[in-house]
Amino acid sequence: MKLYIKNMVCSRCLKVIKQELKSLGVKVESLELGILIINDKNSIQEEILHNVEKVLHSNKFEIIHSSEEILVEKIKHFLINKIEKLPLTFKVNLSLVLSSELNHEYKSLSKLFSSLEKITIEKYFFV
């Protein structure tokens, strides 16, 4: 089961979620910013999902269901990864890198991001 998670932005988020899921017996195969993969064929899927949602909500996260929101989270994670690799050294324009990385035109990425986050990609990145 692959779940996309909103608002995961740091390694501490990963640690907390992983520990809490483990304490409930949820078998986490992989957890990275924004993506949780569970591999538990012996449990009931609804029960697993209930436990995951309980842990996520108690930590102010939520499961993403729409492809648009998933794409916005991918933009955020891309930008966060760039910031973590300071100093920033761009030999090309951020918009070109982002378009290439996510395989979408920057104009559509920018419009989607702004409509869902109420801030531009540039302001999100540089603030």
Side-chain angles (χ1 to χ4, degrees), residues 63-79:
I63 296 174
I64 302 171
H65 298 284
S66 79
S67 59
E68 290 86 7
E69 287 181 299
I70 291 170
L71 186 54
V72 167
E73 286 299 307
K74 286 181 179 180
I75 293 169
K76 288 180 185 179
H77 295 145
F78 174 82
L79 297 174

Side-chain angles (χ1 to χ4, degrees), residues 1-37:
M1 177 185 329
K2 185 175 189 176
L3 302 170
Y4 291 91
I5 303 169
K6 186 173 186 171
N7 298 325
M8 293 187 91
V9 295
C10 67
S11 58
R12 199 171 70 208
C13 299
L14 300 173
K15 183 178 179 181
V16 168
I17 297 302
K18 197 170 201 174
Q19 285 176 343
E20 290 190 24
L21 289 174
K22 185 178 179 180
S23 73
L24 291 175
V26 176
K27 296 178 183 172
V28 176
E29 180 178 312
S30 171
L31 180 61
E32 57 187 70
L33 292 181
I35 301 173
L36 169 63
I37 299 175

Side-chain angles (χ1 to χ4, degrees), residues 79-107:
L79 297 174
I80 289 166
N81 286 332
K82 289 297 175 193
I83 289 172
E84 287 178 347
K85 297 174 184 167
L86 292 174
L88 296 177
T89 55
F90 283 110
K91 294 180 178 149
V92 293
N93 191 318
L94 174 63
S95 60
L96 295 174
V97 175
L98 195 53
S99 294
S100 174
E101 182 73 22
L102 298 176
N103 200 26
H104 283 76
E105 289 185 17
Y106 182 77
K107 185 176 180 179

